[in-house]
Amino acid sequence: MDNFTNVTLLTLEGYVELEKYRYVYFVISLAVYLLIICCNSVIVSIIYSNKCLHEPMYIFIAALLCNALCGTSGFYPKLLIDLLSERPAISYEGCIFQAFWLYTYAAAEFTLLSAMAYDRYVSICKPLQYATLVKMSTVRKLLFICWFWPSCQNSITVILIHRLQLCKYRMMRIYCSNYAIVKLSCGDITANNFFGLFSLTVMVFPPVIFVIYSYIRILDVCLKNSKDFRRKALQTCFPHLLLFISFSVTACFEVINSRFERNVPHLFAMIMSVEFIVIPPLLNPVVYGLKMQEIFNRIKKMLQTRKTHVFKE
């Protein structure tokens, strides 16, 4: 705690052999962050600039990639600064804000993926009603809910955390999480634990159950239709299902790690803790860029145009 400026500083001590590998970590982290920005921005710009892609499915894809860009902006800049600092630290208020930002990103990822499942479900199972059920006004409402609901829920978490009195100031992590901050308190954390469990249940289980239900219905419809129908359905559903499974697994690792990090090797715990903010933002644009034919064709056309332009010069 800094007594001279009346600012409570928390030291981040989760780094493994920082002095020895400081610049290696920095170069790798910077490269990953730049790759995330470039890959996600390219897909978003392609969807934005092509009016033929202004359809619910592609709008949801763009929203998912924008969410990844927002989420990583709450992690990588601070990480890069810490890697070049002699003593990585963060203010108490800044720590709460980072936890709020990252948890809102994670919760919004689940809600966006469930909204995309709804879009695929209606498209395949109720094609004649698609234009009625998935109007642009409906898409806007779903996107608003996908970000507003997680923000409200995490705001309550922030209020519950802010009322705690800290008695420890060392955090064995490389970024802030709600439960890591709660563990720094020596007071009664029953309300925090209860609401944390409630939030986890509300934000994870309904989307997971809905996605499972959607794909059971989609599978049932596909089995009753032609081979060509199954191929087209798989082409649009496979990227979403792959990303949903990937994010669910990485988010599950982080939840387990935040609760039981003392019982696993520190290096393994640190790797587990950053997977949800590293793998999905890298995987999302690659999967959609390669598997969605319309987006892939636009990327090829863009690359060919630039190549032709370079040769002419």
Side-chain angles (χ1 to χ4, degrees):
M1 184 173 181
D2 193 333
N3 293 320
F4 296 99
T5 59
N6 291 321
V7 175
T8 303
L9 290 180
L10 308 178
T11 57
L12 302 172
E13 301 185 355
Y15 295 93
V16 180
E17 298 188 36
L18 180 60
E19 292 299 326
K20 187 176 180 181
Y21 299 110
R22 180 189 305 276
Y23 296 108
V24 176
Y25 290 158
F26 179 84
V27 171
I28 293 173
S29 300
L30 180 61
V32 171
Y33 187 38
L34 293 176
L35 189 61
I36 288 172
I37 292 174
C38 291
C39 292
N40 286 274
S41 298
V42 166
I43 305 296
V44 171
S45 64
I46 287 173
I47 294 173
Y48 177 78
S49 60
N50 291 273
K51 290 187 177 180
C52 63
L53 299 181
H54 291 184
E55 298 176 4
M57 178 175 67
Y58 297 106
I59 292 173
F60 282 128
I61 292 173
L64 189 73
L65 301 185
C66 286
N67 187 59
L69 288 172
C70 291
T72 53
S73 69
F75 172 70
Y76 283 97
K78 181 65 173 70
L79 175 69
L80 294 172
I81 293 172
D82 287 341
L83 290 174
L84 297 180
S85 303
E86 292 298 323
R87 189 187 179 197
I90 187 171
S91 68
Y92 179 47
E93 288 74 17
C95 193
I96 292 177
F97 179 76
Q98 185 183 51
F100 167 82
W101 193 266
L102 293 179
Y103 274 67
T104 300
Y105 147 75
E109 196 85 354
F110 271 113
T111 54
L112 285 168
L113 287 169
S114 61
M116 294 172 74
Y118 171 74
D119 175 70
R120 293 299 83 211
Y121 163 72
V122 176
S123 174
I124 294 171
C125 300
K126 300 181 179 181
L128 298 179
Q129 298 174 267
Y130 184 80
T132 305
L133 294 175
V134 192
K135 297 182 291 187
M136 290 308 298
S137 59
T138 305
V139 172
R140 286 192 290 269
K141 290 175 184 176
L142 286 173
L143 291 178
F144 175 77
I145 293 171
C146 285
W147 277 300
F148 180 73
W149 175 241
S151 299
C152 289
Q153 201 160 11
N154 282 302
S155 295
I156 298 174
T157 303
V158 168
I159 294 171
L160 291 175
I161 290 176
H162 206 270
R163 71 183 180 82
L164 297 175
Q165 186 69 37
L166 300 187
C167 62
K168 291 175 283 187
Y169 304 95
R170 298 170 59 188
M171 192 179 296
M172 294 303 295
R173 297 179 68 90
I174 62 176
Y175 67 90
C176 296
S177 68
N178 289 335
Y179 192 64
I181 301 173
V182 168
K183 288 192 294 185
L184 298 179
S185 171
C186 296
D188 184 11
I189 59 173
T190 303
N192 297 81
N193 285 331
F194 177 79
F195 188 77
L197 182 61
F198 171 77
S199 298
L200 181 66
T201 303
V202 170
M203 294 308 304
V204 174
F205 285 101
V208 169
I209 292 171
F210 180 75
V211 170
I212 292 173
Y213 168 79
S214 299
Y215 276 98
I216 290 174
R217 293 294 305 275
I218 289 171
L219 179 63
D220 182 55
V221 171
C222 288
L223 292 175
K224 295 176 181 178
N225 282 274
S226 65
K227 185 177 180 180
D228 185 58
F229 181 90
R230 289 196 295 270
R231 181 185 61 80
K232 290 181 179 178
L234 180 64
Q235 187 177 17
T236 57
C237 290
F238 177 75
H240 173 265
L241 189 59
L242 177 63
L243 296 177
F244 181 79
I245 293 172
S246 170
F247 186 77
S248 298
V249 170
T250 54
C252 182
F253 279 170
E254 165 55 9
V255 171
I256 295 172
N257 176 61
S258 65
R259 298 281 173 171
F260 304 106
E261 59 186 3
R262 291 184 179 179
N263 301 324
V264 297
H266 182 63
L267 178 61
F268 181 66
M270 289 305 100
I271 293 173
M272 287 175 62
S273 69
V274 299
E275 281 188 335
F276 84 105
I277 200 69
V278 174
I279 295 178
L282 280 174
L283 189 61
N284 292 359
V286 173
V287 170
Y288 279 117
L290 295 178
K291 291 297 182 180
M292 300 299 289
Q293 196 63 41
E294 283 292 331
I295 296 177
F296 183 62
N297 291 338
R298 297 287 172 179
I299 293 174
K300 284 200 303 183
K301 186 177 180 180
M302 182 181 68
L303 293 175
Q304 289 171 357
T305 302
R306 289 190 176 182
K307 189 183 292 184
T308 303
H309 181 70
V310 170
F311 285 143
K312 284 182 179 180
E313 289 183 349

